[in-house]
């Protein structure tokens, strides 16, 4: 049996289509190949890992070596009005999970924005291929250890949009989009007990958005008309539709006071056992007091109510807190949104909390593979401090200001999303809070982050919860040698199991100059890692210790 025969399941048509579609969108548009300044950066990474529990089981514990060879390609194109960024990696593994076999995994993250007509007509695309943790019962963090418990997820989206301007009278936005999210469940059959009920399925999503807003001609009044629609067609189960019509108007009585009104209609449709689909007409009437640019208060009353406080006493500190009580639409009842940021001379502090109604497919489409937050959760908002804490980014030691970021020791690491929630084919009500802190002093940088997330479902009974804390310390021993320490702790409560997980990694990262026809830097890394999971179901308990040596060259 040849290499590609034994690993044919990894080379599927869908990933190849996603890879080449990334280029077609870019090169088929007239002039884009000449308008962008292109940079191609090949790379090669090789890692040898020894683990004392290669199948993540305390019952049948065994050790083994896993060899990883991963060629990669980074393509970046930029111009004053367009950009294209692609990172692709072909991960080749021998003896992953102790199977003494060869596995190949595609890993892709692509985004592009092309202006077909400058400042008027745009085409936005994205693609991603990644391996996702299936269930909270056994949280795996990479493709090296464990049998099953993973699925390959591929996503592609394209969204052309038009932004017409009508002189001083107004401006518009008209956008349509299509996205595809697909899952290869062939590997999950190896661990059928991990697959949650109502497992996520392939989906096609069509989005439509239209907005018409007032211009400078309306000096004392602002108005806008909005329409948005998101229709998700699934392989199995009922389809999902989120649709809203809304119009709003604001009149400025003075520089400090304004009154506003908004009204609209919700037309959502999805399967539910919670009787939470609240469609119909909604309205809000209220006012805003803005005594200075540093703070303001807004209150709106109606069948959808809200109160928002903005407090930013200095350029270093900003905060916004919103309370809502809605009778109609998504996220009905009481809900909160909050954002706080404070920047010290050498430190940064941040807090975010939000509630949203979404789906697993939508969350996966919105975030690529190579960037994760501290808990491994997918999120549109990228928290830089979390990325530093996880080793995906690091502060550039050669930057005197201590603000420039460069790829960290785990930038090309093959870690999975440490997803603490089951992948389910359901509509999710997601409540998430995060707290992050970073501090830079001398040759050391410190990071810490906490999160708490609760998920309730429209079909699935009960509520899942996960909370955790992670930290990081990076010490520049010398200009090209760094020591790092990254501990994390996480507790999950789900339908299949409740478990607590510890993860501690420490290592050395060194850059070594080499000459392959031109001067290059080879990043080398040696890491020791301890992972322990304890569960209320003993079959999901495991402890793993591993040591790994890696080198990565970007040509």
């Amino acid at each position: 049996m040849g290499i590609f025969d034994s690993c044919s399941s990894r080379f599927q048509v869908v990933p190849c289509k996603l890879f080449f579609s990334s280029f077609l969108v870019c090169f088929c548009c007239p002039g884009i190949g000449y308008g962008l300044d292109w940079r191609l950066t090949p790379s090669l990474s090789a890692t040898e890992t020894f683990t004392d529990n290669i199948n993540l089981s305390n019952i049948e514990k065994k050790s083994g070596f896993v060899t990883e060879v991963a060629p990669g390609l980074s393509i970046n194109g930029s111009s004053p009005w367009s950009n294209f960024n692609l990172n692709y990696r072909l991960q080749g593994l021998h003896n992953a999970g102790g199977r003494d076999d060869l596995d190949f995994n595609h890993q892709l993250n692509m985004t592009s924005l092309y202006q077909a007509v400058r400042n008027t007509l745009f085409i936005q695309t994205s693609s991603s291929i990644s391996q996702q943790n299936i269930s909270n019962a056994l949280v795996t963090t990479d493709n090296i250890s464990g049998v099953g418990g993973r699925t390959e997820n591929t996503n592609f989206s394209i969204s052309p949009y038009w932004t017409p301007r009508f002189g001083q009278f107004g401006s518009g936005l008209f956008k349509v989009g299509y996205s595809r999210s697909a899952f290869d469940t062939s590997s999950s059959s190896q661990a059928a007990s991990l697959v949650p009920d109502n497992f996520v399925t392939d989906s096609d999503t069509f989005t439509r958005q239209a907005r018409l807003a007032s211009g400078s001609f309306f000096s004392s009044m602002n108005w806008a008309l909005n329409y948005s629609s998101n229709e998700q067609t699934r392989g199995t189960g009922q389809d999902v539709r989120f649709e809203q019509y809304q119009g709003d108007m604001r009149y400025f009585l003075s520089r400090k006071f304004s009154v506003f009104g908004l009204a609209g209609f919700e037309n959502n449709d999805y399967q539910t056992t919670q009787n939470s689909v609240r469609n119909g007409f909604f309205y809000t009437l209220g006012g805003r007091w803005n005594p200075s640019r540093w703070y303001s208060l807004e209150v709106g009353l109606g069948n959808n109510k809200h109160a928002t406080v903005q407090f930013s006493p200095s350029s270093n500190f900003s905060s916004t807190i919103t309370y809502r009580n809605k009778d109609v639409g998504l996220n009905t009842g009481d809900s909160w949104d909050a954002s706080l940021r404070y920047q010290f001379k050498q430190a940064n502090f941040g807090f975010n909390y939000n509630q949203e109604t979404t789906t697993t497919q939508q969350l996966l489409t919105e975030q690529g593979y190579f960037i994760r937050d501290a808990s491994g959760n997918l999120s549109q908002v990228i928290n830089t401090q979390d990325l530093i804490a996880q080793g995906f980014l690091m502060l550039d030691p050669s930057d005197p200001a201590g603000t420039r970021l460069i790829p960290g020791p785990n930038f090309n690491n093959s870690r999975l999303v440490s997803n603490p929630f089951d992948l389910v084919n359901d509509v999710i009500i997601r409540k998430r809070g995060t707290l992050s802190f970073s501090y830079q002093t001398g040759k050391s940088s410190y990071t810490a982050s906490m999160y708490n997330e609760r998920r309730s479902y429209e079909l699935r009974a009960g509520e899942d919860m996960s909370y955790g804390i992670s930290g990081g310390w990076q010490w520049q021993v010398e200009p090209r040698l760094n020591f790092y320490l990254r501990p994390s702790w996480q507790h999950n409560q789900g339908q299949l199991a409740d478990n607590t997980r510890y993860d501690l990694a420490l290592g050395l990262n060194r850059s070594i100059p080499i000459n392959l026809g031109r001067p290059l830097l080879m990043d080398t890394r040696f890491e020791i890692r301890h992972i322990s999971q304890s569960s209320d179901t003993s079959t999901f308990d495991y402890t793993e210790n591993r040591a790994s040596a890696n080198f990565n060259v970007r040509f």
Side-chain angles (χ1 to χ4, degrees), residues 84-363:
F84 177 87
N85 295 283
L86 181 146
N87 286 283
Y88 173 75
R89 195 167 178 267
L90 178 61
Q91 182 191 43
L93 293 171
H94 176 256
N95 198 36
R99 296 188 302 276
D100 195 23
D101 205 347
L102 286 173
D103 297 308
F104 290 91
N105 299 303
H106 299 277
Q107 296 164 353
L108 170 71
N109 184 24
M110 185 282 292
T111 60
S112 74
L113 178 64
Y114 172 59
Q115 294 193 39
V117 179
R118 193 169 183 179
N119 297 327
T120 303
L121 184 61
F122 303 80
I123 302 175
Q124 187 175 27
T125 66
S126 67
S127 296
S128 67
I129 307 175
S130 64
Q131 291 73 51
Q132 301 289 332
N133 185 76
I134 288 178
S135 165
N136 91 308
L138 189 66
V139 181
T140 54
T141 57
D142 54 34
N143 295 317
I144 293 174
S145 304
V147 179
R150 286 174 286 265
T151 182
E152 185 166 85
N153 171 237
T154 59
N155 298 285
F156 174 75
S157 69
I158 181 168
S159 301
Y161 60 96
W162 177 42
T163 57
R165 301 183 183 277
F166 308 103
Q168 60 181 334
F169 295 100
S171 60
L173 169 65
F174 301 92
K175 184 175 185 178
V176 295
Y178 166 77
S179 63
R180 168 75 176 174
S181 185
F183 301 86
D184 172 20
T185 57
S186 59
S187 61
S188 63
S189 61
Q190 301 174 34
S193 62
L194 298 177
V195 180
D197 296 335
N198 194 23
F199 185 69
V200 67
T201 60
D202 299 352
S203 70
D204 297 280
T205 302
F206 297 89
T207 59
R208 296 183 294 273
Q209 183 180 357
R211 176 178 174 83
L212 187 62
S214 60
S216 59
F217 177 80
F218 302 92
S219 58
S220 59
M221 179 179 66
N222 291 340
W223 55 265
L225 299 173
N226 296 279
Y227 170 76
S228 64
S229 173
N230 184 307
E231 298 186 15
Q232 187 177 102
T233 303
R234 297 174 171 177
T236 61
Q238 191 181 47
D239 300 338
V240 175
R241 183 184 69 227
F242 301 143
E243 186 176 39
Q244 183 190 75
Y245 304 80
Q246 179 176 309
D248 55 79
M249 182 179 295
R250 183 180 297 272
Y251 183 77
F252 294 89
L253 300 172
S254 67
R255 294 179 61 184
K256 296 183 178 180
F257 295 95
S258 64
V259 293
F260 70 91
L262 63 89
F265 186 82
E266 292 276 357
N267 184 30
N268 306 308
D269 183 29
Y270 49 86
Q271 192 175 3
T272 176
T273 59
Q274 312 297 323
N275 192 29
S276 59
V277 179
R278 306 285 181 85
N279 291 329
F281 173 78
F282 65 88
Y283 70 95
T284 305
L285 302 173
R288 180 184 177 93
W289 177 49
N290 191 12
S292 77
R293 61 174 181 162
W294 305 115
Y295 53 91
S296 65
L297 172 65
E298 178 175 296
V299 176
L301 302 176
N303 58 358
N304 285 356
K305 313 172 188 66
H306 74 264
T308 299
V309 177
Q310 290 183 326
F311 182 63
S312 303
S314 71
S315 59
N316 293 333
F317 178 69
S318 63
S319 63
T320 303
I321 301 175
T322 300
Y323 164 76
R324 292 184 177 87
N325 182 280
K326 297 171 64 176
D327 294 334
V328 179
L330 303 176
N331 304 311
T332 54
D334 298 329
S335 65
W336 292 85
D337 289 295
S339 175
L340 289 86
R341 286 286 181 270
Y342 194 92
Q343 182 174 349
F344 302 89
K345 184 178 181 180
Q346 295 176 286
N348 290 280
F349 170 84
F351 172 77
N352 278 287
Y353 179 84
N354 71 290
Q355 176 176 331
E356 63 176 334
T357 299
T358 184
T359 64
T360 297
Q361 294 93 332
Q362 187 172 344
L363 288 172

Side-chain angles (χ1 to χ4, degrees), residues 15 51 119 157 175 202 271 286 343 365 390 417 425 457 468 528:
T51 168
N119 297 327
S157 69
K175 184 175 185 178
D202 299 352
Q271 192 175 3
Q343 182 174 349
T365 302
Q390 291 299 299
V417 179
N425 215 35
Y457 307 89
I528 299 174

